Amino acid sequence: MNFTIAIDGPAAAGKGTISKAVAKHFGFSHLDTGLLYRAVGAKTLSGVDATEAARSLQAEDLDAPDLRTPQVAQAASKVAVLADVRQALVDFQRAFARRAGGAVLDGRDIGTVICPEAETKLFVTASAEVRAERRYLELEANGLDISRSQVLEDVIERDKRDRERSEAPLRPAQDAVQIDTSVMSIEQAIAAALRAVDAKRKG
Ligand code: CDP
């Protein structure tokens, strides 16, 4: 059975949490595509050329330490504007999307570019302030010494770069179900996502 769920949205919208829960619920595999760009971004911080890093990316690169830091997130969004970098990562993501047993992919361009034929597309959003607060709490819990205002700045700057780039800009697919989680708990956001997927599976 091939069934792909594409979950896109701006920075720190809760895509990861929702994707993991949805994948678990249906017994699907999950790919956090942001991690691919973060791994490439991290390599550029140590002087490797971005395209070279994307073309030679290995599974173990996704386990590198510190991929979740705002510095790496910024580096990721900078390499993500490059057509050659995006191109180098396409085949892996498409193969993952169509793997047997079902797949959930979260990112920025899954419903628009990587898998426009996905059976279900969700676009998860929340206000920049709410997203920054959630990300701040997450980073703080992981022991990072960072201020709320720095996190908000990172979120706003990346969103702008991700939306305005010419290659695969961040935007909802025409047929995406939009879920605004600004005033939802995690449980409510997951329930809304599961309802949207169920509606497509039954329809
Ligand atoms: O977790 P968060 O939403 O903050 O970011 P992420 O999903 O890990 O993505 C990090 C960066 O990678 C984004 O700001 C994008 O620039 C880029 N990215 C992308 O261009 N396309 C994707 N499919 C996934 C991430």
Side-chain angles (χ1 to χ4, degrees):
M1 188 248 338
N2 286 338
F3 193 98
T4 310
I5 301 173
I7 305 187
D8 292 306
K15 302 179 297 288
T17 308
I18 293 173
S19 300
K20 281 192 203 98
V22 168
K24 190 168 175 211
H25 181 88
F26 292 108
F28 289 4
S29 304
H30 169 231
L31 177 66
D32 168 4
T33 66
L35 211 51
L36 304 175
Y37 291 91
R38 284 175 183 260
V40 174
K43 290 203 169 203
T44 64
L45 293 178
S46 50
V48 182
D49 171 71
T51 306
E52 191 45 48
R55 288 185 181 151
S56 61
L57 202 66
Q58 304 287 313
E60 55 265 30
D61 295 332
L62 305 182
D63 298 325
D66 302 332
L67 290 186
R68 298 287 173 193
T69 64
Q71 289 82 347
V72 171
Q74 278 293 331
S77 91
K78 287 178 188 161
V79 301
V81 306
L82 304 170
D84 286 349
V85 166
R86 304 200 72 84
Q87 191 54 43
L89 303 175
V90 164
D91 288 348
F92 175 75
Q93 295 176 83
R94 289 205 174 130
F96 192 98
R98 297 323 271 173
R99 67 197 277 162
V104 181
L105 285 81
D106 73 273
R108 301 291 185 289
D109 62 339
I110 309 304
T112 50
V113 174
I114 298 299
C115 204
E117 71 281 13
E119 280 74 13
T120 304
K121 298 174 195 170
L122 307 180
F123 195 82
V124 181
T125 60
S127 72
E129 289 71 21
V130 165
R131 290 185 282 119
E133 178 64 16
R134 288 178 188 157
R135 178 55 52 88
Y136 169 74
L137 294 174
E138 208 175 286
L139 294 171
E140 197 195 28
N142 286 329
L144 233 82
D145 181 21
I146 191 162
S147 70
R148 284 187 160 81
S149 60
Q150 279 174 300
V151 177
L152 179 61
E153 215 173 283
D154 167 63
V155 160
I156 291 173
E157 197 181 326
R158 280 197 291 134
D159 284 356
K160 183 169 158 54
R161 197 181 291 122
D162 291 348
R163 286 197 176 103
E164 292 181 355
R165 69 186 178 213
S166 55
E167 294 296 323
L170 167 67
R171 60 176 177 79
Q174 221 183 346
D175 53 347
V177 176
Q178 301 219 24
I179 302 176
D180 186 334
T181 68
S182 299
V183 295
M184 288 184 188
S185 64
I186 289 172
E187 292 73 22
Q188 287 171 325
I190 292 168
L194 290 176
R195 272 198 304 277
V197 178
D198 268 335
K200 287 283 181 181
R201 277 162 66 93
K202 288 180 186 133

